Amino acid sequence: MRTGSEPRTARSALRARFWLSVWGLVWALFGTVAFALAGRNGWAIACGVLLLIVTVDLAVVLRRIRQGPHYQPGPGIPPYQPPDRRP
């Protein structure tokens, strides 16, 4: 159900973000190790930076999942009410 205020009150699919972050974490770790062993230091650093970004994203997702149903929408949670528009 659309309320017309989705850009401001949109909710994220946290479980999907969690699994995508896990997938990215695995591949970034693999890339970092593989490029480091192959002697490609530039690519290893790039994968290491990506590993850091994915780890931070995973931490944010896990924090929001643990905050409860306000941040983890389910079938019993109604959409946010649109903000009052006063002139």
Side-chain angles (χ1 to χ4, degrees), residues 17-27 54 58:
R17 277 183 63 192
F18 170 77
W19 289 111
L20 287 171
S21 292
V22 169
W23 181 253
L25 187 75
V26 168
W27 279 106
V54 171
L58 186 61

Side-chain angles (χ1 to χ4, degrees), residues 13-76:
L14 292 177
R15 287 184 204 104
R17 277 183 63 192
F18 170 77
W19 289 111
L20 287 171
S21 292
V22 169
W23 181 253
L25 187 75
V26 168
W27 279 106
L29 181 63
F30 173 77
T32 303
V33 171
F35 283 124
L37 291 176
R40 304 283 184 137
N41 294 334
W43 284 104
I45 291 171
C47 285
V49 169
L50 184 61
L51 181 66
L52 180 64
I53 292 169
V54 171
T55 303
V56 169
D57 182 53
L58 186 61
V60 169
V61 169
L62 286 173
R63 181 176 181 269
R64 289 192 177 162
I65 286 174
R66 289 183 181 145
Q67 285 179 336
H70 179 73
Y71 291 101
Q72 184 61 37

